[in-house]
Amino acid sequence: MTRLLDPTAVRELAGRLDLRPTKQRGQNFVTDANTVRRIVQLAGVRSDDVVLEIGPGLGSLTLALLEVADRVVAIEIDHLLADALGDTVAARAPEHRDRLDVVEADAMAVTELPHPPTIVVANLPYNVSVPVLLHLLARFDSWRRGLVMVQSEVADRLAAGPGSKIYGIPSVKMAWYAATSQVGSVPPRVFWPVPNVDSGLVAIERRDPPTTSATRDQVFAVVDAAFAQRRKMLRSALSGLAGSSAAASTALEAAGVDPTARGEVCTVQDFARIAEQLHGS
């Protein structure tokens, strides 16, 4: 039986490693066994899954994942933590040690993995959660499902739909790759150090991107421009890409989008049609 980490074990491990969690790397470690088991359950991890975990830290979630999954590939940027993770698993779940792969790297720079993941489950570092998630979606298409824990405000943005005040760049770019939904929240008290924000759990289900002749980069450039100044009408926000406000209006009308609308009302399919018009596809 796996011995999951509790508050005492987390502090003992940190003390042994002389670890001082840093805000720079968004390090907040889960100390509650019920929380990590709940995450694994909500993620729907199966016995045949290869789980990709980002920022395993001291191994709280890693141990819970290894109880269920076929294999866990953990990417850890911190040398101290990466070096210690295997020892922690060997000590607390020795029967699972050979099913863990630790990749010491920056998740934003990883282009290859020892095994193709089928699911991503992670407590993502707060400060880089969105770019890491978008990188994993773009780079590794073998995973079709995921569940990530992020800052509550980020969870809101990732799952927001058109027309919402918090709908923006992360919402649209996530929608290119997947359907997202919030499936739970996590209180600050289950972390060490205790953060001053709540956390949200976001479920991810891959889907095909919109059918379009525009490239992803072209669509994302339109999204970036549309939200660069949220209060601007699209004809003004996209004037730089189009060459003029008049040219932007023409492209928007051809795409079936009101030139006086703002980016927050557009779906990812709208942005794809706009990109087609702007690039003459």
Side-chain angles (χ1 to χ4, degrees):
M1 181 68 178
T2 302
R3 293 186 297 131
L4 299 184
L5 299 180
D6 58 21
T8 301
V10 166
R11 283 170 175 76
E12 285 178 354
L13 265 174
R16 197 179 312 149
L17 297 172
D18 195 25
L19 173 69
R20 294 174 179 80
T22 69
K23 283 187 178 181
Q24 181 186 0
R25 287 185 173 167
Q27 292 174 327
N28 297 92
F29 306 117
V30 181
T31 62
D32 180 61
N34 289 331
T35 296
V36 291
R37 283 206 170 106
R38 175 178 164 235
I39 289 170
V40 173
Q41 183 181 26
L42 284 171
V45 178
R46 303 189 296 248
S47 60
D48 60 346
D49 272 322
V50 176
V51 181
L52 178 58
E53 183 187 7
I54 310 302
L58 292 167
S60 301
L61 180 56
T62 313
L63 288 164
L65 289 167
L66 284 166
E67 282 188 321
V68 181
D70 180 60
R71 180 165 291 277
V72 174
V73 178
I75 301 176
E76 176 57 64
I77 192 173
D78 188 305
H79 172 71
L80 188 69
L81 294 171
D83 205 38
L85 186 59
D87 293 338
T88 299
V89 172
R92 303 186 79 87
E95 69 277 20
H96 300 326
R97 176 60 186 93
D98 63 347
R99 296 194 283 109
L100 170 70
D101 295 282
V102 182
V103 178
E104 184 181 333
D106 179 350
M108 286 289 294
V110 170
T111 57
E112 294 183 10
L113 293 170
H115 302 277
T118 59
I119 185 171
V120 168
V121 185
N123 170 21
L124 290 176
Y126 283 174
N127 52 345
V128 294
S129 54
V130 172
V132 164
L133 195 49
L134 291 173
H135 172 72
L136 297 178
L137 285 162
R139 187 72 202 185
F140 304 107
D141 59 8
S142 60
W143 65 281
R144 310 303 297 174
R145 301 141 40 231
L147 188 135
V148 295
M149 179 159 56
V150 294
Q151 187 175 335
S152 184
E153 182 183 340
V154 175
D156 291 341
R157 289 176 182 166
L158 289 174
S164 164
K165 288 183 178 179
I166 55 172
Y167 179 75
I169 292 173
S171 322
V172 183
K173 291 184 178 180
M174 279 299 295
W176 174 271
Y177 298 104
T180 55
S181 59
Q182 288 201 61
V183 295
S185 59
V186 181
R189 66 177 180 274
V190 304
F191 295 94
W192 175 79
V194 177
N196 57 7
V197 294
D198 287 346
S199 298
L201 299 173
V202 177
I204 301 162
E205 288 286 340
R206 283 264 201 171
R207 64 186 179 196
D208 292 335
T211 302
T212 176
S213 56
T215 67
R216 181 183 64 210
D217 286 347
Q218 288 171 342
V219 176
F220 282 11
V222 174
V223 174
D224 289 337
F227 288 101
Q229 292 175 282
R230 291 184 67 100
R231 298 178 69 107
K232 279 192 173 183
M233 295 178 184
L234 283 169
R235 67 186 179 198
S236 298
L238 301 182
S239 60
L241 283 180
S244 70
S245 178
S249 290
T250 300
L252 287 160
E253 287 170 354
V257 177
D258 182 354
T260 65
R262 291 177 173 80
E264 64 195 41
V265 303
C266 292
T267 65
V268 66
Q269 290 83 3
D270 292 332
F271 283 114
R273 292 198 308 274
I274 296 167
E276 286 184 2
Q277 296 300 323
L278 287 174
H279 292 279
S281 301

